[in-house]
Amino acid sequence: MTPPPPQPPPSGPNPAADSAADPRPGPGPLVVLFGATAGALGQDLGSDETDLILLVWQVVEPRSRQVGTLHKSLVRAEAAALSPQCREASGLSADSLARAEPLDKVLQQFSQLVSGDVALLGGGPYTLCTDGQQLLRQVLHPEASRKNLALPDTFFSFYDLRREFHVQHPSTHPARDLTVATMAQDLGLETDATEDDFGVWEVKTMVAVILHLLDGPSGQLFSKPEVVKQKYETGPCSKADVVDSETVVRARGLPWQSSDQDVARFFTGLNIARGGVALCLNAQGRRNGEALIRFVDSEQRDLALQRHKHHMGVRYIEVYKATGEEFVKIAGGTSLEVARFLSREDQVILRLRGLPFSAGPADVLGFLGPECPVTGGADGLLFVRHPDGRPTGDAFALFACEELAQAALRRHKGTLGKRYIELFRSTAAEVQQVLNRYASSPLLPTLTAPLLPIPFPLAAGTGRDCVRLRGLPYTATIEDILSFLGEAAADIRPHGVHMVLNQQGRPSGDAFIQMTSAERALAAAQRCHKKAMKERYVEVVPCSTEEMSHVLMGGTLGRSGMSPPPCKLPCLSPPTYATFQATPTLIPTETAALYPSSALLPAARVPAAPTPVAYYPGPATQLYMNYTAYYPSPPVSPTTVGYLTTPPAALASAPTSVLSQPGALVRMQGVPYTAGMKDLLSIFQAYQLAPDDYTSLMPVGDPPRTVLQAPKEWVCL
């Protein structure tokens, strides 16, 4: 039996065959778009935060090589002032812009006209094509965010004509250095030199470049568009991650209540890496107005740097370069507990601060209420604890959506027990940073014992053999001061550099230097007065040891004279420095005067007959070398609280068990930040001491008073 003959193909068009036979396949319709602002143009477009004033566009059908109608539309700007560069290039005036439509109306007209042109050319989804990335990333998206406008989805993907040109012609200029004129020149295209309508020449030339590229041999053109992320993605970061330093910036000047979403909105239009916003915290665990932001590539980072001094509300934000190590240090974490807590994606994180130490998961869930349930119940709570397990009063909670988080934020400053609770938006990086801070160091930082217990008695006098440095940078170190003084540093007395700290223990910008003579002090003041240190000029004036002592003990020294320290109680009046007994110096004075390095120290760092010294909190477990061992501040400085010897009378009668404990001091934790000396003294006002117990209240660095030798007397520390 013979098989039937083959049937002829059906008549009519075959779309699949026609598509396969098409010698010029290509992407869908392209909308060539050009725009300008009232400020900078070209590579700096959008860097000055000015509004959009012009849009010019034309549709190109790559398959048929057809071109639609060219459209031009002015945009009314809120600030109609034009820069000289824009006025000269565009020929526009403030009057013509005042009669234009606002941005939201122009975008509606744009969508309608583009849809009509695309339908006439064959239909299909279209994609924008721009000259560079500044128009969309630096202008349209930031301005729409400022004006609370929702851009159509078509503005979240586009083709960068410079990159497409560089794919086919990689041997010419780098992609970021190309312009419409240089691309046309490299291709040998003839352009209409008589066209003086601003924006029209650019669009016509871009269309000509696109048609020329489509006729070329490369089949990779217009295949992978650039994408603008619509939403910031949160996520954890590990200490083991390697972050490219060319992708990180530091933003400074943020409002303290800013969240990672607020920072991402400031950089809208730029692609931030997943979990790439790390809010920085200060020593008290509170946000300090800085953040580190990690972008997906170096080009996005460079665009972010152009937003230096752009505004977030009424505040301008400074943007600087940062390193990958800094980002990992802030955002990285190693805790498995944190990793499990952050493993749930697409969750909103809130931070609860001020919880009672006895509060547990049930208490927190009851405080939030059933209207804002926590994801996973108790598993969605993370309590922050000290290394010894004590609670800190902080916790983090996960919520499934923004609506639930908003409901929880309405509980801000609600009471739990007898305490009001603060609620803030938080980030994965902040969770790790808070946990790392409490895990690596105690809540109250302790002072490290000095390398050697060197005494530094000061002889009070009225001779002006000292100089006062006023206006120092807060980051100035002793090395900076020695370099600032130059040759005059050779005339400094041993241990003669005294940094003045404020009530918070931070540098105040002042320092006192003891010189070998009044003549040397005057010469140093004349040579270094108003000399610059780190872009700040420093005042250098002569003063006496008495004036220096008053300032270091809490007094003030101004044009009207000296004001004594605020000490009203007799027991709080500090003795003169000369009353401190000097212990043998382990380093010769001549050697110390030459700023010796650690190599000059003897191998044996403990003398044969050591003098018991009361340190706070105790001798360091690891010896180290720094300049403060040679040039320490006076006894009143918080940085040298452990440099003083134990009073001889207390040392003679103290039990051996007490002396074996480093310093034999009492540490008070949980003291309010606003507590002063009187508040601390009031705690001990109701206590009486037996004769054998007074050593437990031994005042460090203060000579023994008669009140300590008589039993049953009130004691003031």
Side-chain angles (χ1 to χ4, degrees):
M1 185 175 180
T2 61
Q7 298 294 327
S11 59
N14 187 346
D18 293 344
S19 176
D22 189 357
R24 299 178 301 178
L30 301 176
V31 180
V32 181
L33 183 63
F34 175 82
T37 66
L41 303 175
Q43 298 285 4
D44 297 329
L45 184 68
S47 62
D48 49 7
E49 210 177 4
T50 53
D51 289 345
L52 186 73
I53 61 171
L54 175 68
L55 279 180
V56 185
W57 68 91
Q58 190 173 20
V59 179
V60 178
E61 172 52 54
R63 294 177 180 272
S64 62
R65 306 297 195 265
Q66 295 181 358
V67 179
T69 305
L70 190 144
H71 302 274
K72 179 177 180 179
S73 179
L74 295 180
V75 184
R76 185 171 63 202
E78 294 181 357
L82 301 177
S83 67
Q85 180 186 9
C86 178
R87 188 182 300 108
E88 180 181 358
S90 64
L92 299 174
S93 63
D95 295 337
S96 60
L97 293 177
R99 296 189 297 269
E101 296 288 344
L103 180 60
D104 55 344
K105 299 294 184 181
V106 172
L107 292 179
Q108 293 178 4
Q109 297 174 3
F110 171 84
S111 299
Q112 295 173 358
L113 293 174
V114 168
S115 299
D117 291 346
V118 170
L120 292 176
L121 296 178
Y126 60 88
T127 308
L128 302 179
C129 182
T130 61
D131 172 34
Q133 305 198 19
Q134 281 82 359
L135 177 59
L136 286 178
R137 295 191 183 275
Q138 298 286 71
V139 178
L140 272 172
H141 282 278
E143 184 172 347
S145 178
R146 293 195 303 268
K147 298 179 179 179
N148 294 321
L149 300 178
L151 290 176
D153 293 339
T154 54
F155 286 90
F156 288 88
S157 64
F158 65 98
Y159 290 110
D160 185 355
L161 184 57
R162 301 181 186 182
R163 289 191 174 183
E164 301 297 332
F165 180 88
H166 193 264
V167 169
Q168 195 172 90
H169 302 274
S171 60
T172 56
H173 306 282
R176 65 179 59 187
D177 296 336
L178 291 172
T179 63
V180 175
T182 56
M183 287 187 289
Q185 182 180 0
D186 292 340
L187 296 177
L189 300 178
E190 295 182 1
T191 58
D192 186 5
T194 61
E195 182 64 64
D196 58 353
D197 194 358
F198 182 63
V200 173
W201 180 89
E202 284 80 0
V203 171
K204 289 182 177 180
T205 306
M206 290 169 64
V207 170
V209 171
I210 291 173
L211 295 176
H212 190 280
L213 293 177
L214 291 174
D215 292 333
S218 178
Q220 300 178 353
L221 295 177
F222 304 103
S223 60
K224 186 177 180 181
E226 304 288 331
V227 177
V228 180
K229 289 187 176 182
Q230 299 191 32
K231 182 181 178 181
Y232 167 67
E233 301 175 356
T234 61
C237 175
S238 174
K239 291 286 187 182
D241 292 348
V242 178
V243 178
D244 185 6
S245 296
E246 296 299 319
T247 62
V248 182
V249 301
R250 177 186 294 272
R252 190 167 63 185
L254 300 169
W256 65 268
Q257 70 273 23
S258 298
S259 65
D260 55 346
Q261 299 293 340
D262 298 323
V263 176
R265 185 176 181 181
F266 175 79
F267 290 103
T268 184
L270 305 180
N271 293 343
I272 300 176
R274 183 173 180 269
V277 177
L279 301 174
C280 301
L281 306 180
N282 59 17
Q284 288 75 37
R286 302 175 184 268
R287 297 171 186 172
N288 61 1
E290 295 189 8
L292 294 174
I293 301 94
R294 176 189 180 188
F295 295 91
V296 295
D297 54 38
S298 59
E299 185 172 4
Q300 307 285 318
R301 194 280 305 265
D302 294 340
L303 293 176
L305 291 173
Q306 292 184 357
R307 301 197 185 183
H308 179 61
K309 292 193 175 181
H310 284 203
H311 288 77
M312 178 185 290
V314 297
R315 298 173 63 98
Y316 72 87
I317 309 301
E318 301 175 353
V319 183
Y320 303 98
K321 292 182 179 180
T323 63
E325 291 78 6
E326 293 175 335
F327 181 84
V328 173
K329 182 179 179 181
I330 296 298
T334 56
S335 173
L336 295 178
E337 184 182 13
V338 177
R340 287 193 298 268
F341 179 77
L342 299 176
S343 60
R344 300 181 177 90
E345 298 183 358
D346 299 328
Q347 298 289 314
V348 182
I349 306 175
L350 296 186
R351 180 180 180 183
L352 293 82
R353 193 167 61 196
L355 294 171
F357 294 149
S358 59
D363 301 316
V364 176
L365 294 176
F367 167 77
L368 295 174
E371 63 276 6
C372 44
V374 177
T375 302
D379 294 336
L381 295 175
L382 177 64
F383 289 87
V384 184
R385 301 182 183 276
H386 290 290
D388 56 3
R390 292 179 296 107
T392 64
D394 281 22
F396 295 92
L398 295 176
F399 296 90
C401 60
E402 184 66 27
E403 290 74 14
L404 295 178
Q406 288 288 348
L409 287 173
R410 287 194 285 269
R411 298 286 295 160
H412 178 60
K413 290 195 175 182
T415 57
L416 176 58
K418 297 182 179 180
R419 304 194 63 173
Y420 72 88
I421 311 302
E422 298 175 317
L423 283 88
F424 305 97
R425 292 180 178 273
S426 187
T427 66
E430 184 175 18
V431 173
Q432 293 177 335
Q433 192 177 171
V434 171
L435 267 295
N436 292 341
R437 181 181 301 276
Y438 283 107
S440 60
S441 61
L443 179 62
L444 295 178
T446 57
L447 301 175
T448 308
L451 177 64
L452 298 173
I454 301 177
F456 28 83
L458 301 176
T462 58
R464 308 181 71 82
D465 57 350
C466 303
V467 292
R468 181 183 185 184
L469 277 63
R470 190 164 52 193
L472 294 169
Y474 294 139
T475 58
T477 62
I478 293 182
E479 294 96 323
D480 297 328
I481 293 178
L482 297 179
S483 177
F484 170 79
L485 293 175
E487 297 179 357
D491 300 323
I492 301 177
R493 290 185 182 180
H495 323 303
V497 178
H498 310 282
M499 307 291 289
V500 181
L501 307 181
N502 58 21
Q503 294 180 353
Q504 290 74 35
R506 299 175 181 175
S508 64
D510 283 17
F512 287 93
I513 313 295
Q514 287 182 281
M515 310 300 288
T516 55
S517 64
E519 292 77 12
R520 296 293 185 181
L522 179 60
Q526 293 175 346
R527 185 183 301 112
C528 302
H529 184 57
K530 290 192 175 183
K531 182 180 174 182
M533 177 191 294
K534 294 183 179 181
E535 300 181 355
R536 296 191 61 176
Y537 76 87
V538 179
E539 298 179 357
V540 183
V541 294
C543 67
S544 65
T545 307
E546 180 182 3
E547 295 171 341
M548 178 183 68
S549 302
H550 273 76
V551 174
L552 294 177
M553 295 301 294
T556 58
L557 176 62
R559 291 187 176 93
S560 58
M562 294 187 300
S563 298
C567 297
K568 298 181 180 180
L569 297 177
C571 58
L572 295 181
S573 300
T576 59
Y577 294 128
T579 59
F580 291 103
Q581 296 185 0
T583 55
T585 303
L586 301 180
I587 300 177
T589 303
E590 296 78 12
T591 307
L594 298 176
Y595 321 122
S597 62
S598 58
L600 297 179
L601 290 175
R605 302 180 182 234
V606 181
T611 302
V613 177
Y615 291 106
Y616 175 82
T621 56
Q622 294 181 354
L623 298 180
Y624 67 97
M625 170 56 63
N626 59 9
Y627 275 101
T628 57
Y630 299 102
Y631 296 92
S633 298
V636 296
S637 173
T639 60
T640 56
V641 70
Y643 282 67
L644 309 179
T645 58
T646 306
L651 181 62
S653 58
T656 307
S657 59
V658 175
L659 293 179
S660 61
Q661 303 174 9
L665 299 177
V666 176
R667 180 181 179 185
M668 302 170 59
Q669 293 185 341
V671 177
Y673 296 122
T674 57
M677 180 64 71
K678 291 183 179 180
D679 301 320
L680 300 179
L681 292 174
S682 63
I683 299 176
F684 298 98
Q685 290 297 323
Y687 287 88
Q688 292 180 340
L689 304 180
D692 298 335
D693 296 336
Y694 73 90
T695 53
S696 61
L697 294 176
M698 180 169 41
V700 178
D702 207 353
R705 300 187 178 94
T706 57
V707 69
L708 291 177
Q709 299 175 0
K712 306 301 182 183
E713 291 287 340
W714 298 107
V715 178
C716 276
L717 292 182

